Amino acid sequence: MLRHRKRDIALAVGSSALAGYVDAIGFLSLGGFFVSFMSGNSTRLAVGVVGVPAEALIAGRLIASFLVGVIVGSLIGRIAGERRRPVVLATVAGVLAAGAGAAGLGAPDLAVLFVAVAMGAENTTFERDGEVSIGLTYMTGTL
């Protein structure tokens, strides 16, 4: 991060804090599953496959939703060009709002999927030439 401007670092710190906060709320709401820490969900997926298939399904849906978010964030960022960051972050805010709306309408399962999509998209904020230069969630731009 030494090659980044101070305002980029500040944005990264704020965005990481948001991801951590959202992940903590998701973890508490989902009873031990994550909306931005996909390594934890892959472990839960593997354990679920051999033990509790319902838990494997939860982890699999979260991983797939996060992956959709990474793809959407990358595509939107590519289309936005030099306006990448504000457009990606506006998308993240919109998807988080959709998640809050789904929760408010009594669809908590849909809400957490929206939140996982938002976290995947947020991770593409600092994408450069197809690679993430600053990872904001635990699964970085290797996707």
Side-chain angles (χ1 to χ4, degrees):
M1 284 189 17
L2 297 176
R3 294 184 180 180
H4 294 281
R5 297 178 302 201
K6 286 184 181 185
R7 73 178 194 184
D8 291 344
I9 293 170
L11 177 61
V13 168
S15 297
S16 291
L18 170 69
Y21 176 78
V22 168
D23 204 31
I25 297 298
F27 183 82
L28 294 172
S29 299
L30 293 168
F33 290 91
F34 305 91
V35 292
S36 73
F37 181 45
M38 294 303 115
S39 298
N41 286 340
S42 354
T43 303
R44 296 291 307 260
L45 175 66
V47 170
V49 166
V50 294
V52 185
E55 289 186 5
L57 187 60
I58 294 168
R61 285 179 179 166
L62 288 166
I63 292 167
S65 296
F66 187 91
L67 182 58
V68 166
V70 170
I71 293 167
V72 166
S74 291
L75 291 174
I76 287 173
R78 186 169 294 226
I79 291 167
E82 292 194 19
R83 306 267 318 141
R84 164 189 240 4
R85 289 186 190 145
V87 172
V88 168
L89 291 174
T91 301
V92 169
V95 176
L96 285 173
L105 293 173
D109 292 343
L110 181 60
V112 296
L113 296 180
F114 274 123
V115 172
V117 168
M119 293 298 95
E122 182 189 48
N123 207 48
T124 67
T125 303
F126 289 97
E127 190 176 284
R128 218 187 274 169
D129 300 323
E131 302 233 357
V132 173
S133 60
I134 301 175
L136 301 177
T137 65
Y138 284 100
M139 180 173 266
T140 60
T142 2
L143 288 176

